[in-house]
Amino acid sequence: MNEQNPAEPQRREFFKQIGAAGVVAFSARDEARLDKLVADGAMDAPQDDLNWQKAPCRFCGTGCGVMVGCKDGKVMAVRGDEASPVNRGLLCVKGYHLPAMLYGEDRLTHPQLRDGDGWKQISWDEALDLIAEKFSSTLEENGPESVAVYGSGQWGVHDGYAALKWVKGGMRSNNLDPNARLCMASAVMGFMTQFQSDEPMGCYEDLEAAEDFVLWGNNMAEMHPVLFSRMLENKRLNPGVRIVDIGTRRTPTSEYADMYMEIKPGSDLALANGVLHLLLKKKQIDRSFINENVVFKRGIEDLDEIGYGCYGENAEKYTFKDKASDSSLEELETFLADYSPEKVAEITGLQAAQIEALATMYGDQGRNTLSLWCMGVNQHTRGTWMNNLITDLHLITGKISRPGNNPFSLTGQPSACGTAREVGTLSNRLPADMVVMNAEHRATAEKIWGLEAGTINPKPGYHAVDMFRALSRGDIKAMWIQVTNPWVSMPNLNRFKRSPGDGRFIVVSDIYPTPTTDVADLILPSAGWVEREGVFGNTERRTQQWQKLAEPPGEAKEDAWQIMEVAKRMGMGNLFPWPEDDWHEAMFEEYRSFGLGIGKDLASYKELRETRGMIWPVVDGRETRYRYAAGFDPYVKKSKGVHFYKAKGYGEKAAFWLRPYHPPAEVPDDDYPFWLCTGRVLEQWHTGSMTRRIKQLHQATPTAYVEINRADATRLGIKSGDRVRLKSRRGELVLPAAVDGRGKPPAGSVFVPFFDESLLINDLTLDAMDCISKEPDYKKCAVQVAKA
């Protein structure tokens, strides 16, 4: 008889029971408070009595359309929007419970200033004046490198654009970075290094057009269930469709795969090179496509020179810069000689026949191949390299910019694409793929913003991990954090502990109390989701707009308004010259002007109001489903084929990068013999600050747990529900075991989700980073495992 398992879907009743017994806790601040703070996701109201309007979902980057039913200024119900081309009326379990995310009993409703060990309520004028005074004095005394704003892929476009103008155009600092640095930066740099323009060339219609799906470290069944359902429907209608799941542990996605390929952590680089080796050996490459559309590049490959960003001189500042050199197809053949199926099998733990089968799939010109990936590839010390290698597989076979044939990175946050990537709220970027290091790009921004020439600082600011290192050192003295929870989500959290009164000033804007608001000096209440007007941009380049549909609680205000009001108090009101009660469209149209005529054309605000979103570039009212493709992209003048017109530095061709295998930054040894991988689960989203306040989702997964292989559990005397102690070189944690759950790691490996703020798995993770994107690797570090 199978033992009861907290990781199984039926664990809802199990966790209700242990929650009632006081074992499950939500917060380190108040161990017993969550059950009375959660809101019921099923709002009870007659649906024919509601005002229904469109909006995108607040959670992941899929961008599902929802119809929102409101009454008396409150969201009462949601349903899937059948008119949305994204989800066609379907929602996941989180989407169906959206209303309750707004109505937890501990919503932040008033500005609060730290007062000794407690808090005192203050007015908005007092709060905004204080922020302006603190940032102004810090700038005057310490310069622009001493201030910072840490934002989010959950920012709407208006929020991110307001922050960008204030930080880069007003304070002349580039210390602006989003939490998207932690999840999508490697995908950004993958696209930028190969096409000199960010974001995928395909769209969700690829899910119907593809015949072979290759999922690289991507548990779509749980992380992107609506998109996964479209894939499965394709397979139901077309039984010849094949799914390959490449991963380091079995997940619900694996159960639907035609081939599951379990690799050793970090060995995906070797696997991709092994597939390239076979494609060349078997002459399954498209030479005419290569000759017309591809150039070859190499970067710095010496491991000692590159490092991992967490050891030695890189332990405080990681500033490695890659340097490109020209290469060739002939050099590629020599480079790949060491990646034979037998050698790659040894590195990855796969069978040579599996590698051969995968290569045959990519090389088959008679079938459409779609590669999909998310955090398993991006959160990687060589994440940009892996993005390059996956795209290389499509470039060398010509399977790109065609329906069903594309490399397609998926996104975790609702506007990581629309705000972090397109607006450019990263430390080196400006809107529309422009960067602060480029004088022409700076001049364009200065002209649009009405600034004197030379205003924008050409030196990139701190990326996220180095930003918090600088805060800990005291180099950053004033920081504003909006719509994110870094004191749960940053890696190696122990190095970022802080005590109020340490000489730094931290402002946090959010909708609920979190461990991040705990360490703030000033807390501001934000309006959430449809409590304000906004715009998100999703994974397939679809920009979606919504109107304000509900009233925020108390005095909560939208994040963009907060920023603009502070800027005005600092004498920077010229950056925001719009009427206080009617600025959303004017701000968006100014932002939109950055991309017009250069292949980054967004739809107008009017068009977005009238549609379920549009996929850019939008030219003459027509959206572009496939970038760079003749017949689809208005910037491509060829009658057939592709034209990578954004890649001016490569002669308008795409760059194929040669990237070698490097081992992970930390591997198991005699002292720490297990791999630790972290990630998400279906019912919870990111750090859980919203989803754990939804009754049904909290009951489903009220606490984090550690998935452990049955053989390891038997050897260590561990059963499901037993308390297990994990210890790394950075920290330790005790949490319940899940044996043979929905996720099944191999022997020698454990998995822990990171949504539980009372069980901070990021106390254990390593702050090693990708060498190009500076995205940290949450997927691979070494731990001890023992029964507690």
Side-chain angles (χ1 to χ4, degrees):
M1 181 177 179
N2 291 333
E3 64 193 78
Q4 190 174 24
N5 192 325
E8 288 291 331
Q10 59 263 38
R11 68 193 188 285
R12 296 172 182 268
E13 287 303 318
F14 172 84
F15 273 129
K16 278 186 183 178
Q17 294 166 13
I18 63 172
V23 176
V24 177
F26 174 68
S27 169
R29 301 182 304 277
D30 183 350
E31 290 280 318
R33 67 192 180 90
L34 183 65
D35 283 341
K36 66 181 180 182
L37 297 177
V38 294
D40 197 321
M43 311 299 279
D44 186 16
Q47 295 201 4
D48 58 359
D49 193 30
L50 304 181
N51 174 30
W52 292 91
Q53 294 193 48
K54 70 175 176 79
C57 179
R58 174 57 180 79
F59 292 122
C60 82
T62 299
C64 291
V66 296
M67 294 301 294
V68 184
C70 299
K71 183 178 181 179
D72 299 328
K74 185 174 182 179
V75 177
M76 303 303 295
V78 297
R79 62 181 182 231
D81 185 356
E82 295 181 4
S84 169
V86 173
N87 54 308
R88 303 166 181 174
L90 181 66
L91 295 174
C92 76
V93 65
K94 294 184 291 294
Y96 283 119
H97 291 93
L98 270 165
M101 62 153 275
L102 296 172
Y103 300 118
E105 292 185 17
D106 59 341
R107 271 293 296 267
L108 297 171
T109 56
H110 302 278
Q112 299 175 64
L113 180 66
R114 183 172 294 281
D115 183 16
D117 294 331
W119 301 90
K120 66 177 181 180
Q121 181 177 318
I122 62 174
S123 70
W124 268 109
D125 280 336
E126 290 174 305
L128 298 169
D129 287 345
L130 178 61
I131 299 170
E133 186 278 320
K134 290 288 188 180
F135 274 77
S136 294
S137 62
T138 300
L139 282 168
E140 183 177 351
E141 295 168 13
N142 301 285
E145 291 193 3
S146 64
V147 297
V149 172
Y150 186 60
S152 175
Q154 299 161 62
W155 259 343
V157 164
H158 297 95
D159 309 317
Y161 189 66
L164 183 81
K165 287 193 77 174
W166 178 51
V167 176
K168 301 194 177 189
M171 295 193 291
R172 303 186 178 188
S173 173
N174 286 320
N175 287 341
L176 170 68
D177 220 45
N179 63 0
R181 177 76 66 176
L182 311 182
C183 58
M184 291 311 301
S186 295
V188 173
M189 293 312 299
F191 287 117
M192 290 300 295
T193 54
Q194 296 190 276
F195 305 100
Q196 297 190 326
S197 182
D198 187 23
E199 297 196 44
M201 54 287 301
C203 65
Y204 292 158
E205 291 179 21
D206 283 329
L207 296 166
E208 284 76 45
E211 296 160 292
D212 291 328
F213 295 90
V214 184
L215 280 54
W216 290 84
N218 183 18
N219 179 15
M220 282 185 72
E222 290 195 88
M223 303 305 104
H224 295 88
V226 171
L227 298 183
F228 193 63
S229 72
R230 288 180 62 166
M231 184 192 305
L232 293 184
E233 178 65 2
N234 182 1
K235 186 174 176 64
R236 185 185 71 82
L237 296 174
N238 303 285
V241 166
R242 300 178 296 192
I243 300 173
V244 177
D245 179 31
I246 304 169
T248 58
R249 80 190 226 278
R250 284 187 174 271
T251 67
T253 302
S254 312
E255 303 307 310
Y256 296 93
D258 296 275
M259 181 167 65
Y260 171 60
M261 302 177 68
E262 189 167 279
I263 61 172
K264 296 177 183 178
S267 66
D268 45 3
L269 292 155
L271 175 59
N273 277 313
V275 172
L276 288 168
H277 169 99
L278 288 168
L279 290 172
L280 266 73
K281 180 180 179 181
K282 296 183 177 183
K283 296 181 170 51
Q284 290 183 303
I285 64 174
D286 189 334
R287 287 185 179 270
S288 61
F289 180 91
I290 294 167
N291 291 338
E292 185 177 351
N293 300 295
V294 177
V295 297
F296 291 85
K297 298 288 181 179
R298 292 186 81 158
I300 296 171
E301 298 171 5
D302 181 75
L303 178 56
D304 292 334
E305 183 175 355
I306 296 171
Y308 292 109
C310 60
Y311 302 123
E313 63 182 23
N314 291 323
E316 281 297 327
K317 296 181 180 180
Y318 190 37
T319 57
F320 169 81
K321 292 183 179 179
D322 200 16
K323 180 182 292 186
S325 60
D326 292 336
S327 187
S328 65
L329 182 60
E330 292 71 28
E331 187 175 27
L332 175 65
E333 293 190 64
T334 303
F335 171 84
L336 293 172
D338 281 342
Y339 293 97
S340 67
E342 295 74 23
K343 179 68 175 294
V344 172
E346 182 181 341
I347 296 171
T348 61
L350 295 169
Q351 298 296 315
Q354 292 177 292
I355 303 165
E356 298 257 6
L358 183 61
T360 298
M361 190 174 290
Y362 275 104
D364 187 346
Q365 291 293 335
R367 293 176 64 88
N368 295 339
T369 305
L370 186 68
S371 298
L372 296 143
W373 69 96
C374 199
M375 298 305 103
V377 165
N378 293 332
Q379 292 177 338
H380 192 314
T381 53
R382 298 296 179 262
T384 302
W385 289 12
M386 263 312 299
N387 274 265
N388 290 159
L389 288 171
I390 294 172
T391 299
D392 285 350
L393 293 168
H394 289 267
L395 289 174
I396 205 164
T397 56
K399 289 185 170 186
I400 194 165
S401 291
R402 291 189 278 136
N405 281 307
N406 279 302
F408 204 133
S409 70
L410 298 176
T411 315
Q413 298 187 86
S415 202
C417 289
T419 304
R421 299 166 73 165
E422 293 165 21
V423 173
T425 61
L426 293 107
S427 59
N428 65 324
R429 286 171 72 90
L430 294 164
D433 289 335
M434 299 183 191
V435 292
V436 300
M437 303 84 75
N438 185 300
E440 291 184 9
H441 294 173
R442 294 195 304 275
T444 296
E446 288 161 353
K447 180 179 180 180
I448 291 172
W449 292 346
L451 302 175
E452 292 183 6
T455 296
I456 297 174
N457 189 339
K459 179 184 177 183
Y462 289 114
H463 56 82
V465 176
D466 276 4
M467 180 183 288
F468 280 87
R469 291 173 176 178
L471 180 69
S472 296
R473 290 193 305 270
D475 293 346
I476 288 177
K477 301 184 184 300
M479 178 185 281
W480 194 345
I481 299 166
Q482 287 195 335
V483 205
T484 187
N485 192 8
W487 265 268
V488 174
S489 61
M490 291 297 292
N492 192 7
L493 274 171
N494 282 308
R495 74 178 297 171
F496 302 125
K497 305 296 184 187
R498 68 98 50 164
S499 300
D502 59 6
R504 274 75 106 187
F505 179 70
I506 298 179
V507 186
V508 178
S509 300
D510 212 326
I511 65 173
Y512 287 113
T514 68
T516 301
T517 62
D518 281 353
V519 303
D521 299 290
L522 177 65
I523 301 171
L524 301 180
S526 292
W529 191 37
V530 294
E531 295 170 347
R532 40 78 56 87
E533 183 175 342
V535 173
F536 282 161
N538 79 349
T539 298
E540 67 166 347
R541 294 176 283 112
R542 181 179 299 277
T543 312
Q544 302 185 80
Q545 187 270 351
W546 73 93
Q547 295 297 113
K548 178 181 177 181
L549 306 179
E551 292 301 321
E555 298 179 356
K557 304 286 188 181
E558 65 180 290
D559 300 289
W561 178 89
Q562 298 173 25
I563 292 167
M564 290 190 292
E565 288 300 309
V566 169
K568 291 173 184 177
R569 285 164 167 79
M570 295 176 66
M572 302 172 187
N574 60 297
L575 294 171
F576 306 103
W578 309 295
E580 289 189 12
D581 59 349
D582 185 22
W583 50 268
H584 290 88
E585 182 169 0
M587 177 189 281
F588 183 85
E589 291 299 330
E590 179 187 280
Y591 155 61
R592 175 175 171 255
S593 69
F594 276 88
L596 296 179
I598 61 170
K600 303 287 286 192
D601 314 63
L602 299 176
S604 70
Y605 210 68
K606 181 177 184 294
E607 289 171 317
L608 294 177
R609 278 202 191 101
E610 296 170 351
T611 64
R612 264 40 177 199
M614 298 186 76
I615 300 174
W616 61 261
V618 178
V619 177
D620 296 329
R622 293 183 59 188
E623 58 187 351
T624 301
R625 286 149 48 222
Y626 293 94
R627 292 177 81 191
Y628 312 126
F632 291 97
D633 190 330
Y635 286 90
V636 175
K637 305 307 179 185
K638 298 165 66 172
S639 60
K640 63 179 181 178
V642 301
H643 178 199
F644 299 115
Y645 56 86
K646 294 291 290 181
K648 306 296 185 185
Y650 303 144
E652 300 190 1
K653 296 184 177 184
F656 181 113
W657 285 86
L658 285 64
R659 301 296 197 187
Y661 165 71
H662 277 182
E666 184 175 86
V667 299
D669 55 22
D670 291 341
D671 294 326
Y672 297 87
F674 283 80
W675 287 107
L676 168 65
C677 178
T678 69
R680 292 194 285 133
V681 294
L682 172 65
E683 298 90 348
Q684 300 291 348
W685 195 73
H686 282 215
T687 64
S689 60
M690 293 181 291
T691 49
R692 296 192 78 211
R693 286 172 169 85
I694 299 172
K695 178 180 179 181
Q696 292 83 352
L697 301 181
H698 171 59
Q699 289 175 341
T701 50
T703 188
Y705 50 84
V706 53
E707 293 177 355
I708 185 169
N709 179 271
R710 174 165 290 280
D712 290 328
T714 300
R715 178 171 54 85
L716 296 171
I718 294 170
K719 303 185 301 298
S720 285
D722 284 351
R723 288 161 59 83
V724 174
R725 184 181 306 279
L726 303 183
K727 183 177 181 181
S728 75
R729 291 176 173 87
R730 293 154 293 282
E732 61 181 84
L733 182 66
V734 176
L735 66 174
V739 182
D740 288 341
R742 67 168 81 171
K744 299 176 178 64
S749 181
V750 295
F751 172 87
V752 178
F754 69 89
F755 68 85
D756 190 341
E757 68 177 45
S758 66
L759 295 171
L760 292 174
I761 191 59
N762 281 321
D763 280 345
L764 280 66
T765 51
L766 179 67
D767 52 342
M769 287 173 274
D770 175 65
C771 55
I772 297 173
S773 71
K774 308 306 188 289
E775 179 171 339
D777 188 335
Y778 293 89
K779 302 299 183 183
K780 298 175 283 295
C781 72
V783 295
Q784 299 171 0
V785 179
K787 188 173 182 180

